[in-house]
Amino acid sequence: MWDDRFEQILRPFLPFLPPQEELTPETDLKDLGLDSLGTVQLLGTLEETYQLRFRDSALTMDTFRTAGVLWDTVQSMLQSTAS
């Protein structure tokens, strides 16, 4: 699963996710209100928080489809920068 920072960053971009509802890897971000502007802002926040740069190949709607796919993308970039 992901670290606490990831969920704290992601939740404000999901206006239709009730505070008490669990965020799961299968959670569809668009269904919970993540729009195109929110995606760009989320991208910047993730890059700043985790000190990484999304590769062009990761800048797709699929990357931001679910919480799990997005976290897997962030985690793989963190591992590649650590190597």
Side-chain angles (χ1 to χ4, degrees):
M1 195 81 156
W2 46 72
D3 65 24
D4 292 336
R5 289 186 302 175
F6 179 74
E7 188 159 339
Q8 290 171 355
I9 290 166
L10 187 53
R11 276 189 173 271
F13 293 97
L14 306 174
F16 305 138
L17 179 66
Q20 69 280 6
E21 190 172 319
E22 182 182 7
L23 185 63
T24 68
E26 297 80 29
T27 299
D28 188 299
L29 303 180
K30 187 177 179 185
D31 287 350
L32 293 176
L34 182 66
D35 59 15
S36 56
L37 179 58
T39 300
V40 172
Q41 292 172 330
L42 176 58
L43 170 71
T45 303
L46 289 170
E47 287 184 339
E48 185 177 315
T49 301
Y50 290 102
Q51 296 296 297
L52 52 81
R53 279 287 200 248
F54 275 70
R55 295 181 207 103
D56 288 344
S57 61
L59 297 176
T60 68
M61 292 308 293
D62 282 343
T63 299
F64 292 86
R65 186 173 43 83
T66 67
V69 170
L70 182 56
W71 174 248
D72 288 346
T73 303
V74 169
Q75 192 172 36
S76 71
M77 286 188 284
L78 287 171
Q79 290 172 351
S80 68
T81 58
S83 309

